[in-house]
Amino acid sequence: MPQSNNVLLLSLIKKFPVFQNLTGSLYARIPAFAEHNIAKYQALKKAFYLTALEKHEGDYLEFGVFTGSSFVFSVKAHRSLQGLAKLPTRFFGFDSFAGFGPVGENEKHPFYTDNNFSVDVARVTQNIKKQTKGAETRLVPGFFEETLRKSTSSYGIQRARIVLIDCDLKEPASLALQFVRPILQQGTILIMDDFFSYKGDTKRGVHGAFSEFCQKNPAYIWRRVCDYGFGGAVMILVGSP
């Protein structure tokens, strides 16, 4: 836009604040969860793009499937980048589909409750199958204390391409990180939702789980890719044993 037009536009905005008020009002009406999910989709697509660019083979693992929207989007994002790299990616989803179960006192949160995160697993499974026809997908229902006791090899998983941790609390996030540790490789992208929950406390929630994992596994060196939405963070593994 020419400089004169910029000056004219600025003059109109100063004289008629109704334009700014209207823009602000419209933006404020966008549901926060919808805006965050769109940002999460952008983060997922970025992860699939970066790994496709590097022809980085491995599977996609999601911890905290809930309704399956992110899981379905991940399959579609992967497919949209087939022209860049045809990578044989399988998709694994882990979730209790029954909420969190018993929650320790230090894990209690006003929003992360069973009432908000219990879903019909049969309905979620049906939707995922319908939306991802042709993709190799597997949902593993059950609490992480049970399903993640097994090794990744018992599920036939050898390498991780992208990992999404969307399970809100520290304990399940810690179990997920410990589970994927043997299949992490240079270039694996780790997406963590709700990274800034618990008022930013770095010892609680997903951030607390990640901090402890890094302390216990100093040979794994991470580089921050970006933050997204209302509290998500993306890391890429740049050094591993």
Side-chain angles (χ1 to χ4, degrees):
M1 184 181 292
Q3 182 67 25
S4 58
N5 289 344
N6 286 332
V7 173
L8 177 60
L9 180 59
L10 181 60
S11 176
L12 287 172
I13 289 174
K14 288 167 63 177
K15 291 180 180 178
F16 303 101
V18 64
F19 297 116
Q20 289 174 296
N21 293 338
L22 178 60
T23 301
S25 296
L26 291 173
Y27 186 71
R29 290 176 181 271
I30 299 175
F33 75 89
E35 189 174 353
H36 176 72
N37 281 346
I38 290 172
K40 187 195 296 185
Y41 295 159
Q42 290 176 329
L44 282 164
K45 192 168 184 179
K46 180 179 291 187
F48 278 98
Y49 172 79
L50 290 173
T51 50
L53 198 66
E54 301 287 348
K55 293 182 171 51
H56 181 74
E57 294 189 3
D59 294 324
Y60 172 84
L61 291 87
E62 182 169 313
F63 299 91
V65 177
F66 192 35
T67 62
S69 60
S70 298
F71 193 87
V72 168
F73 178 83
S74 295
V75 174
K76 293 181 177 179
H78 166 66
R79 285 175 170 169
S80 73
L81 293 162
Q82 290 295 289
L84 187 60
K86 294 184 181 297
L87 299 176
T89 302
R90 298 174 300 169
F91 297 79
F92 294 84
F94 298 82
D95 200 306
S96 71
F97 299 102
F100 300 108
V103 176
E105 191 64 32
N106 196 47
E107 292 266 65
K108 288 185 178 179
H109 189 278
F111 184 72
Y112 305 145
T113 65
D114 285 342
N115 291 337
N116 288 329
F117 292 96
S118 296
V119 291
D120 184 346
V121 62
R123 190 171 181 178
V124 173
T125 301
Q126 183 180 17
N127 180 60
I128 287 176
K129 286 183 177 179
K130 180 180 179 181
Q131 295 293 325
T132 62
K133 286 182 179 179
E136 191 171 346
T137 64
R138 180 179 176 183
L139 292 185
V140 183
F143 289 105
F144 291 176
E145 292 85 349
E146 302 169 0
T147 59
L148 301 187
R149 280 182 180 176
K150 300 178 181 179
S151 65
T152 50
S153 59
S154 68
Y155 290 102
I157 308 172
Q158 302 299 323
R159 291 178 292 178
R161 177 183 176 186
I162 298 167
V163 176
L164 169 60
I165 294 181
D166 192 2
C167 41
D168 309 312
L169 307 182
K170 181 179 180 179
E171 184 177 355
S174 295
L175 290 171
L177 286 166
Q178 184 61 29
F179 177 74
V180 301
R181 187 181 64 82
I183 58 173
L184 296 175
Q185 55 182 326
Q186 184 178 7
T188 295
I189 292 183
L190 175 63
I191 303 173
M192 293 174 284
D193 218 52
D194 309 301
F195 196 67
F196 299 97
S197 294
Y198 294 95
K199 302 176 183 178
D201 192 334
T202 59
K203 295 181 180 180
R204 302 174 69 191
V206 176
H207 195 303
F210 181 68
S211 295
E212 285 190 3
F213 180 82
C214 291
Q215 290 171 5
K216 293 177 181 178
N217 300 276
Y220 292 86
I221 302 171
W222 300 89
R223 178 182 177 189
R224 202 181 201 99
V225 177
C226 64
D227 295 334
Y228 67 89
F230 298 147
V234 183
M235 306 284 184
I236 186 169
L237 185 61
V238 297
S240 60

